[in-house]
Amino acid sequence: MSFLVWEDGASGRTGAGQVGELAFAVPVSSIGDWLTRAMSAHIPLEGPKHEFGEPVLRLRDPDGVIVKLVGVDMPAGAALPDPIAPTRIRAVTLLTEKPEETLEFAKRFGYRPGPVEGNTQRMYSETDAIDVRNVRGYVPSIPGAGIFDHVAFRAADVGAVRQMRLDLKGEEGVTNVHDRKYFLSLYVREPGGILYEYATDEPGFTVDEEAAHLGETLFIPANALTPAEDLKIILPQFALPGEERNPMRDLPFVHRFHTPEEPDGSVIVLLHGTGGNESDLMPLAHRINPHATLLGVRGRSTEEGVGRWFRRLNMLSFDQDDIRSEAEAFAAFMHEAVRAYGLDAARITAMGYSNGANFAAAVMGLYPDVIRQAILLRAIPVLDDLPQADLAGAKVLMLTGASDPYGTNTPKLAAWFKDRGPISTSRSSRPAISSRPMIWRGQRNG
């Protein structure tokens, strides 16, 4: 079982041209126990009922994926501790508007026709089954959360994959043989539009981890464009089974929370530039302080399909009502984030780039208690009337490139900060120098 991550993605739609259901084999005598477990866990279910002579419970996982538990005694390749645990994959259900062609194509992968029930034809291999369901006239599938991406069939060895590539050379959409490090595979869409993978078992996942410790280490491809250390910071954190989870709070801004291995109690709140997202500045913030907890936040406005913190009327004119309403929402978000995540408000530093820096400066003017320390990269004033805010004791570092086309507007913002009280400020207009190149999204200011 493989899962593709659709973070903050819309739900897909079940329809023609996709895998519709996944069935696991469980001991025949365990169906009653599984029914009790599902009801106790408040999992949506149907059944039990019989399909192709086998008792079936049909469940839905939290994303809406249909998982069937089928009572059939099949030997386990690797038995699990629970005596009624699933033993292996029993079948997958293929939804197709071209059942005859889908059935014929399945023969290439070792399946032979079996019984028919209603609009479903079962096909058998030596180890499992596929159920080809005729869904002519049904809506087409839409990719997204809760939708199967593809179904993979086992190849005996590398030679079988390469031979299959030759056999499929006339088929539309067949890929080359891909070396996935842990296995070799190819992809092809069958006539009904369902994506098939044909893959080897070898060399397997133990090439870089011992079997007893599988899944404990994050591995990143050697040819990844983003450095491995940066990717580790950008990727969402998750807990292994049995570990304590850090729950994501339901707050008005999409956000990413990163806890370092040895936190020092400080927090850096990150505000991206135009076209960026909540994780863009995390690698930079981690280099500034590897022990800081990071809270990356995503702006809620959009312009030409890219994310921003507030609407822009033109390159140097901004929607004042939008700035103020979003600043009010952000202030509420920060107060709730401090409470929900147990943060020390006195040790929070906001770091913004371009549009995010401009927004952070506006928040400081409108809600001085929310941000008391800030690192502003390429910031300019965006409020038409800069507030008479009390920023006594606040600390601000402003960084602007010597050739930044918007840099001529920066001195006005710097002067405003200095006029707001005994504020500690620092401003640099030297070209930025880094020990290694960094790419930031959000190159446009405003």
Side-chain angles (χ1 to χ4, degrees):
M1 289 289 293
S2 300
F3 292 92
L4 304 181
V5 176
W6 290 79
E7 187 180 24
D8 301 316
S11 296
R13 182 175 71 188
T14 302
Q18 72 177 64
V19 177
E21 300 174 329
L22 170 70
F24 288 111
V26 297
V28 175
S29 60
S30 71
I31 288 294
D33 293 326
W34 279 112
L35 176 62
T36 301
R37 288 186 181 187
M39 294 177 65
S40 298
H42 305 290
I43 295 174
L45 64 90
E46 296 178 15
K49 60 182 181 179
H50 280 73
E51 297 177 6
F52 295 104
E54 300 166 344
V56 173
L57 281 178
R58 182 176 276 101
L59 315 175
R60 283 188 181 271
D61 86 345
D63 275 321
V65 173
I66 297 177
V67 178
K68 297 194 296 187
L69 299 180
V70 181
V72 54
D73 291 320
M74 300 179 72
L80 297 171
D82 187 340
I84 66 171
T87 56
R88 61 182 302 117
I89 292 176
R90 172 57 175 139
V92 292
T93 302
L94 308 181
L95 308 180
T96 176
E97 292 188 301
K98 300 179 179 179
E100 296 83 4
E101 295 176 57
T102 297
L103 288 164
E104 189 64 27
F105 198 82
K107 295 178 181 178
R108 295 175 180 264
F109 298 87
Y111 289 84
R112 63 187 183 278
V116 176
E117 277 193 6
N119 62 349
T120 303
Q121 165 85 63
R122 171 157 284 190
M123 299 189 76
Y124 290 109
S125 71
E126 296 304 318
T127 56
D128 50 43
I130 56 176
D131 294 329
V132 179
R133 184 170 299 166
N134 181 356
V135 292
R136 285 194 181 104
Y138 195 54
V139 296
S141 65
I142 297 177
I147 299 300
F148 292 96
D149 180 72
H150 65 273
V151 56
F153 296 102
R154 171 177 281 113
D157 50 36
V158 173
V161 176
R162 300 196 184 282
Q163 183 59 51
M164 182 67 77
R165 176 63 182 84
L166 295 175
D167 295 342
L168 294 173
K169 63 181 180 180
E171 298 294 332
E172 183 178 355
V174 63
T175 69
N176 293 323
V177 176
H178 297 295
D179 184 349
R180 303 299 194 191
K181 180 180 179 179
Y182 305 107
F183 57 89
L184 264 71
S185 69
L186 60 80
Y187 297 84
V188 64
R189 287 199 181 274
E190 56 84 41
I194 301 163
L195 184 60
Y196 283 6
E197 181 182 22
Y198 191 56
T200 65
D201 282 341
E202 301 298 331
F205 289 100
T206 56
V207 295
D208 48 24
E209 282 185 292
E210 295 180 4
H213 298 283
L214 285 174
E216 296 179 4
T217 304
L218 174 65
F219 288 92
I220 295 172
N223 60 351
L225 297 178
T226 303
E229 290 305 310
D230 288 353
L231 277 175
K232 291 178 181 179
I233 303 302
I234 291 173
L235 290 172
Q237 288 182 309
F238 58 89
L240 294 172
E243 295 180 347
E244 182 179 359
R245 296 188 178 189
N246 185 22
M248 184 61 67
R249 306 299 181 181
D250 186 13
L251 301 176
F253 284 80
V254 173
H255 58 285
R256 175 80 56 80
F257 199 81
H258 177 85
T259 304
E261 292 184 3
E262 298 178 359
D264 62 7
S266 66
V267 180
I268 304 179
V269 178
L270 306 170
L271 293 83
H272 60 80
T274 298
N277 62 39
E278 63 275 16
S279 66
D280 280 359
L281 295 174
M282 283 188 163
L284 176 61
H286 185 70
R287 293 181 203 175
I288 292 173
N289 182 2
H291 302 291
T293 297
L294 307 180
L295 176 58
V297 191
R298 185 191 302 177
R300 305 192 302 182
S301 292
T302 58
E303 181 180 283
E304 299 177 354
V306 297
R308 291 175 51 81
W309 289 93
F310 51 85
R311 288 190 293 268
R312 178 173 56 183
L313 304 178
N314 58 49
M315 296 303 289
L316 289 174
S317 179
F318 314 102
D319 187 328
Q320 299 298 297
D321 291 338
D322 198 36
I323 294 173
R324 292 176 181 275
S325 64
E326 288 303 298
E328 181 180 11
F330 183 80
F333 165 83
M334 285 302 303
H335 286 308
E336 185 61 21
V338 167
R339 185 197 66 79
Y341 291 114
L343 309 179
D344 184 349
R347 301 195 64 189
I348 293 177
T349 299
M351 184 170 74
Y353 174 70
S354 185
N355 182 243
N358 302 340
F359 183 69
V363 171
M364 293 184 74
L366 297 169
Y367 299 93
D369 64 318
V370 173
I371 299 175
R372 303 298 297 172
Q373 298 185 125
I375 301 171
L376 306 180
L377 312 174
R378 300 186 67 206
I380 63 173
V382 292
L383 290 169
D384 292 343
D385 298 313
L386 293 173
Q388 300 300 307
D390 181 5
L391 294 175
K395 297 180 180 180
V396 179
L397 170 65
M398 297 179 63
L399 298 173
T400 303
S403 58
D404 188 336
Y406 294 93
T408 56
N409 298 294
T410 303
K412 179 181 178 181
L413 183 61
W416 174 76
F417 275 124
K418 291 180 179 180
D419 290 343
R420 292 306 92 221
I423 184 172
S424 175
T425 63
S426 178
R427 177 172 177 263
S428 173
S429 61
R430 296 180 180 180
I433 299 175
S434 176
S435 60
R436 56 177 170 170
M438 295 184 66
I439 298 175
W440 294 342
R441 283 185 286 181
Q443 297 301 313
R444 293 177 293 173
N445 211 308

